[in-house]
Amino acid sequence: MPFSLHDLPISVVGAPMAGGPSTPALAAAVSNAGGLGSLPAGYLTAERFAEDIAAARSMTGGPIAVNLFVPQPCAAGAEEIDAYREQLVPLARRYGVEPGRPRPDDDHWQAKLDVVADTAPEAVSFTF
């Protein structure tokens, strides 16, 4: 049977906060309380994402949602990025640092989609 938010005993969705605040234990607690617990995929490896889903599932029989960062093409070209970096050099040196170099990253997009397909969370959301 398909999942529906209308089936939740309480109308609460735990936010999938990437970068540390959301944990499998928090997602499970929200689901155990009757809401929809959520796990972030952002900034994680696909392996860690799958582990977090399994951990949450081990703590609850309730529904689990996940959230993925959608890779976006860069609106600026390489020359524009280099020019912007050069504009930052004087300010950076004032603070004793150097501006970083661009590191394109799709946040393991395809691998995380595979995790979603394999684990079948009740809900999936996307950001960016």
Side-chain angles (χ1 to χ4, degrees):
M1 179 170 186
F3 171 75
S4 172
L5 290 173
H6 298 289
D7 296 333
L8 293 174
I10 61 170
S11 299
V12 172
V13 176
M17 300 170 282
S22 292
T23 65
L26 178 59
V30 172
S31 293
N32 287 336
L36 177 62
S38 301
L39 292 168
Y43 310 124
L44 301 177
T45 64
E47 294 78 18
R48 172 65 189 275
F49 178 44
E51 290 168 6
D52 282 0
I53 294 170
R57 290 263 187 235
S58 75
M59 294 182 265
T60 186
I64 296 291
V66 298
N67 177 268
L68 284 81
F69 288 170
V70 178
Q72 298 293 313
C74 184
E79 289 179 5
E80 293 168 304
I81 292 171
D82 287 341
Y84 179 66
R85 182 186 183 283
E86 289 306 312
Q87 289 177 357
L88 294 175
V89 168
L91 179 63
R93 287 196 178 137
R94 184 169 133 200
Y95 292 101
V97 297
E98 285 291 320
R101 296 279 178 194
R103 292 176 289 147
D105 181 359
D106 72 355
D107 198 44
H108 313 286
W109 172 248
Q110 186 58 56
K112 289 178 183 179
L113 289 176
D114 292 343
V115 168
V116 169
D118 292 343
T119 61
E122 282 74 20
V124 181
S125 61
F126 302 90
T127 193
F128 303 122

